[in-house]
């Protein structure tokens, strides 16, 4: 197969690229203290939260955006972004799904998200964030029986203020980084989960994020607290319409796993990546971090195929003794997409263990970088890390980079790092074609094989979805 | 079934095939022998449509179709199979998954329905046993960490499951010990039928002790310079190739 055929095979079509015609209340672009006051007031927030936001805003104004990542993009003009957009019909919050705007429901249907509980046989409870507002949370009653709290963060602020106040910013402090500070100032909505002591959450919890309005940023904030001995698996999916302008997504996700608790967080990210010429697409600048107490386990699994620029490092702070951190990642870039993604494993407790498996796939003219930090602190006696970092190149115009950082301050730590780079070879494609497979099917099969170790970490329905997503993302890219 | 006329082909701007003629009818087994660098493997790749092999002259008809006009996978759909001399690895893609996708693709192209998982699994297990590979190989990545002999047997297993009309074996015998050679030969012999033909590319007459060919051809300098029956192979074994000079086209 020729280079040309391969290129044709990865030329891709973004299938979630429709817009929804809904009247929205969108705040005019611009960011001042008044913007923050507006958002806070709109959400009827308590005084402490407004103060918290304003403090974050002050901090943010004195900070500069990160310039160390291996990505290039024009400077973001934060005054040209709208920081709040809410579908008009949400003005009076719907009490049930029947009251939700049918257009909005149709949007989610198009995305294949079963919002109606009766359709949702898979038993996944879904919270949906559309632009800035959380639209509906399904299965709430069933979850309540188990004592699980799953709602939008705005609602949690009203109903469970103590939990929110105690944990918000406890894992990702406001001044952590430029985008985390921005998010802390202007976050509009997001999901909140609390699993009580000893409870195993009876179903997968899930959030879908969608940016609809033009020139809107999405700044959701997710807070998941797993109390002692509890267990939860959480899925996150994202899409956005095709727009010529770049849109900003700067989310913060905080996970708190108390003693003996386990949190599994899976993401399938399919934000609009821009067109083949690199026009438009989402800037995905996200801070995700989990704090693991004694014997707790935090596992991040991500499949990233979207966004024009991705800057994202889901991390684990292994504070408690014997705590475990895992990071399984597939990041695919095509056309002119750029990704700088990886993880941080911070070992503080004794006998803490972490595993990193990163699979980067570059096609087209894209650039894909893995950046990972493994730090073993002086107190982390007997810490262990295993890192495996593989890159797969499709075609000869793309790039893959690996930036591993290892800091060990305890001589008993054991850190292993393995890295490989390979190419979808002409011989592999020839073999597949000789056996009757067309080039696209062949590439998707080879890529899926490459990702297998990560896919098996995903909940089953998601593993299938992830495989299909890769197939779509690779359309027209065979090279 | 296969009719090759005056075939000229080059690889990296080098002429390899220089006017090759060959007729294979249904049910026949042809062996192609010849010195190193004579173009034996090139012939197999040209027929199966490997990228980078350029046809400069001639034509090939396969089952009534202009073969050279078809994409690689279309040739496979038509029933052309090439057992590779050096099969590549596809890490992470299980043999079973690969076989199913491949058989499905070929059957779909022929308008046949796909096998359900249960009956396909049964067929795959049978094929696996027939080539004397442990069932565990079905779960392993395609050729991943296989020994040379295991790779060759894996090729044969694919051939059995795909049920092609024309099987081209590119030095499938090289690097095999005598037991493995026998397994391959038994597999091929079991597949012989009135409607299926074979083209065996080999260096050694040894293979032909186990698979009896209808015709033997000598390929040298990009052309077939002598054709004969099985006895020709024995003659070559005894005398080598030097007594044949390229001018003497059979």
């Amino acid at each position: 197969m020729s280079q040309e055929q391969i290129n044709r095979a990865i030329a891709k079509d973004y299938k979630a690229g429709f817009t929804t015609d809904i009247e929205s209340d969108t705040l005019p672009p611009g960011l001042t203290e008044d913007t923050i006051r507006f958002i806070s007031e709109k959400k009827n927030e308590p005084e402490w939260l407004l103060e918290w936001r304003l403090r974050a805003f002050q901090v943010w104004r004195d900070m500069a955006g990160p310039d160390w990542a291996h990505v290039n993009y024009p400077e973001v003009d934060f005054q040209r972004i709208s920081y709040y957009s809410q579908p008009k019909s949400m003005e009076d919050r719907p009490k049930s799904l029947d009251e939700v705007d049918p257009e909005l429901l149709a949007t989610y249907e198009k995305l294949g998200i079963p919002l109606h509980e009766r359709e949702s046989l898979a038993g996944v409870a879904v919270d949906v964030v559309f632009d800035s507002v959380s639209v509906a949370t399904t299965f709430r009653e069933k979850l309540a029986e188990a004592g699980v709290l799953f709602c939008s963060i705005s609602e949690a602020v009203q109903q469970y203020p103590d939990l929110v106040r105690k944990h918000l910013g406890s894992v990702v402090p406001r001044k952590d980084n430029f985008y985390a500070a921005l998010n802390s100032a202007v976050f509009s909505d997001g999901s909140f989960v609390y699993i009580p002591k000893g409870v195993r959450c009876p179903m997968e919890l899930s959030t879908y994020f969608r940016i609809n309005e033009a020139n809107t940023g999405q700044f959701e904030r997710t807070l998941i607290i797993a109390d002692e001995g509890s267990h939860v698996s959480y899925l996150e999916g994202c899409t956005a319409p095709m727009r010529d302008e770049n849109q900003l997504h700067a989310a913060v996700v905080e996970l708190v796993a108390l003693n003996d608790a386990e949190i599994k967080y899976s993401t399938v990210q399919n934000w609009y990546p821009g067109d083949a010429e690199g026009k438009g697409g989402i800037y995905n600048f996200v801070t995700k971090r989990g704090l693991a107490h004694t014997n707790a386990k935090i596992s991040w699994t991500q499949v990233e195929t979207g966004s024009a620029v991705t800057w994202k490092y889901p991390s684990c702070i292994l504070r408690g003794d014997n705590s475990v951190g895992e990071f399984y990642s597939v990041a695919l870039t095509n056309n002119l997409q750029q990704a700088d993604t990886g993880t941080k494993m911070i070992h503080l407790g004794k006998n803490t263990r972490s595993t990193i498996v990163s699979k980067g796939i570059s096609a087209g003219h894209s650039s894909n970088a893995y950046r990972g930090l493994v730090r073993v602190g002086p107190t982390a006696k007997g810490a262990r890390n295993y890192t495996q970092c593989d890159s797969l190149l499709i075609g000869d115009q793309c790039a893959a980079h690996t930036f591993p950082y290892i800091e060990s301050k305890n001589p008993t730590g054991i850190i292993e790092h393995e890295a490989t780079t390979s190419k979808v070879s002409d011989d592999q494609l020839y073999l597949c074609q000789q056996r009757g497979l067309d080039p696209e099917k062949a590439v998707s099969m080879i890529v899926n094989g490459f990702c297998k170790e990560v896919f098996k970490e995903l909940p089953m329905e998601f593993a299938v979805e992830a495989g299909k997503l890769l197939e779509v993302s690779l359309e027209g890219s065979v090279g | 079934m296969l009719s090759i006329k005056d075939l000229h082909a080059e690889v990296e701007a080098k002429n390899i095939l220089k006017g090759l003629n060959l007729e294979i009818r249904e049910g026949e087994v042809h062996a192609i022998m010849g010195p190193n660098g004579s173009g034996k493997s090139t012939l197999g790749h040209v027929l199966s449509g490997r990228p980078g092999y350029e046809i400069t002259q001639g034509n090939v008809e396969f089952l009534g179709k202009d073969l050279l006009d078809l994409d690689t996978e279309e040739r496979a759909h038509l029933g052309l199979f090439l057992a590779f001399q050096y099969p590549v690895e596809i890490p992470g893609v299980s043999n079973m998954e690969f076989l199913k996708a491949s058989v499905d693709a070929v059957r779909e192209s022929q308008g046949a329905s796909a096998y359900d998982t249960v009956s396909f699994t049964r067929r795959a297990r049978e094929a696996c046993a027939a080539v004397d590979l442990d069932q565990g190989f079905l779960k392993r990545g395609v050729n991943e960490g296989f020994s040379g002999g295991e790779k060759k047997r894996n090729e044969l297993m694919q051939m059995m499951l795909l049920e092609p009309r024309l099987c081209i074996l590119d030095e499938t015998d090289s690097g095999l010990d005598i037991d493995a050679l026998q397994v391959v030969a038994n597999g091929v012999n079991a597949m012989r039928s009135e409607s299926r033909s074979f083209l065996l590319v080999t260096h050694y007459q040894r293979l032909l002790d186990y698979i009896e060919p209808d015709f033997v051809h000598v390929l040298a300098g990009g052309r077939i310079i002598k054709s004969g029956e099985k006895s020709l192979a024995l003659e070559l074994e005894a005398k080598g190739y030097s007594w044949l000079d390229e001018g003497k086209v059979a």
Side-chain angles (χ1 to χ4, degrees), chain A residues 128-142:
Chain A
V128 181
V129 180
F130 193 85
D131 288 334
S132 305
V133 183
S134 181
V135 181
T137 307
T138 60
F139 280 112
R140 192 177 298 186
E141 279 165 29
K142 189 167 173 205

Side-chain angles (χ1 to χ4, degrees), chain B residues 24-85:
Chain B
I24 299 180
R25 286 180 297 270
E26 292 196 339
E28 292 178 349
V29 175
H30 290 242
I32 295 218
M33 304 182 73
N36 289 329
S38 58
K40 299 192 299 295
S41 289
T42 301
L43 176 61
H45 290 308
V46 162
L47 293 177
S48 85
R50 182 181 194 145
Y53 285 60
E54 203 178 331
I55 316 300
T56 49
Q57 200 177 313
N59 61 67
V60 179
E61 202 183 284
F62 176 56
L63 294 170
K65 294 235 163 81
D66 179 357
L67 187 73
L68 304 179
D69 205 30
L70 303 174
D71 287 339
T72 309
E73 64 270 24
E74 290 171 328
R75 300 181 194 195
H77 297 162
L78 215 52
L80 186 145
F81 181 95
L82 173 66
F84 289 89
Q85 185 179 2

